[in-house]
Amino acid sequence: MPADDDHESHSSEASSDDGHFVQEILARNDAWATRMSTANPALFARNAKGQSPHVLWIGCSDSRVGEFCIDLLPGSVFVHRNIANLMPYGDLSSLSVVQFAVETLRVRHIVVCGHYDCGGAAAALGTKSLGVLDHWLKHLRDVRAEHKDELAAIKDPKSRLNRLVELNVVAQVHHVRRMGPVVEALKQGRISVYGMVYDVSSGHIKPLEVPQDTNELDYLLYSDDEDFKH
Ligand SMILES: [Zn+2]
């Protein structure tokens, strides 16, 4: 039967492709592990004992970007990535990552890194419905709405997109700084939160100036009555 032939042909192609893919990534992994242990002989023995990263990296899932751009060794960076590097208050994954990184791992730096040409930001500037993704990107539409006048004044679409990327980083830095574990760590002076943006056309990151969160006091919570002063 032609239909079965087609099916068999597709299955066989798929399994051949899968086999090739697995072989390829195993070979690449083997070469990488050898290269890493040659350059850093103590690395894997140290990582086998546990992790003590000093950075929490919050970035976009985009394949062109990632914590690899700061060129630190495995074990140095705790990572959280999602579409458009959003840190919504009600997102259990984001909150859990921040709590574990700040309270248990006691990272000293949190980097929120957006990137130019972000597809999530482009979608949030458009009107096309993308299904379930629409719900996630509403957090980015909140940023767009908050800065609608500034964004509307930018006529070049690419510049408008990249400005939204920057404004989103600032908004997410503020969100992170308002999260309970971070508020505590900031009070103790043991953590810093940075906003950065990655340029996919050059591979370089640059720090963004993050203005003071004028609403910071409205989000302050204290765990005991003694500290309840506001
Ligand atoms: Zn992105």
Side-chain angles (χ1 to χ4, degrees), residues 59-62 64-65 82-85 114-121 165:
C60 183
S61 300
D62 191 296
R64 299 166 295 176
V65 309
N82 60 39
I83 291 176
N85 41 273
H115 69 98
Y116 292 134
D117 196 39
C118 182
V165 164

Side-chain angles (χ1 to χ4, degrees), residues 118-128 130 133-134 137 140-141 144 161:
C118 182
L125 282 171
T127 54
K128 182 175 169 47
L130 300 169
L133 189 51
D134 296 337
L137 291 178
L140 197 40
R141 287 183 185 273
R144 171 191 166 180
L161 165 60

Side-chain angles (χ1 to χ4, degrees), residues 41-117:
L43 174 68
F44 291 122
R46 188 169 65 239
N47 280 350
K49 293 177 185 162
Q51 62 167 332
S52 59
H54 59 287
V55 181
L56 166 59
W57 177 274
I58 296 165
C60 183
S61 300
D62 191 296
S63 63
R64 299 166 295 176
V65 309
E67 68 287 355
F68 50 77
C69 76
I70 55 174
D71 200 22
L72 290 174
L73 291 172
S76 302
V77 187
F78 198 65
V79 176
H80 183 61
R81 291 171 62 184
N82 60 39
I83 291 176
N85 41 273
L86 296 167
M87 297 299 282
Y89 299 124
D91 179 38
L92 193 55
S93 176
S94 302
L95 293 166
S96 301
V97 164
V98 166
Q99 180 176 354
F100 186 70
V102 174
E103 292 184 351
T104 303
L105 297 174
R106 296 180 79 83
V107 298
R108 297 192 298 279
H109 310 280
I110 299 179
V111 177
V112 178
C113 189
H115 69 98
Y116 292 134
D117 196 39

Side-chain angles (χ1 to χ4, degrees), residues 106-197:
R106 296 180 79 83
V107 298
R108 297 192 298 279
H109 310 280
I110 299 179
V111 177
V112 178
C113 189
H115 69 98
Y116 292 134
D117 196 39
C118 182
L125 282 171
T127 54
K128 182 175 169 47
S129 174
L130 300 169
V132 73
L133 189 51
D134 296 337
H135 298 282
W136 181 251
L137 291 178
K138 278 204 172 70
H139 300 294
L140 197 40
R141 287 183 185 273
D142 289 343
V143 180
R144 171 191 166 180
E146 194 178 336
H147 299 277
K148 70 169 96 179
D149 293 340
E150 178 184 347
L151 291 166
I154 304 172
K155 297 305 171 201
D156 175 48
K158 188 174 170 189
S159 302
R160 190 185 313 124
L161 165 60
N162 288 343
R163 183 58 183 148
L164 178 58
V165 164
E166 294 176 349
L167 292 168
N168 181 47
V169 168
V170 170
Q172 303 315 317
V173 167
H174 287 168
H175 284 192
V176 168
R177 289 177 61 97
R178 293 169 187 168
M179 290 176 172
V182 181
V183 170
E184 287 298 317
L186 286 168
K187 256 194 330 192
Q188 295 163 15
R190 63 176 177 85
I191 205 163
S192 300
V193 187
Y194 314 86
M196 300 200 181
V197 66

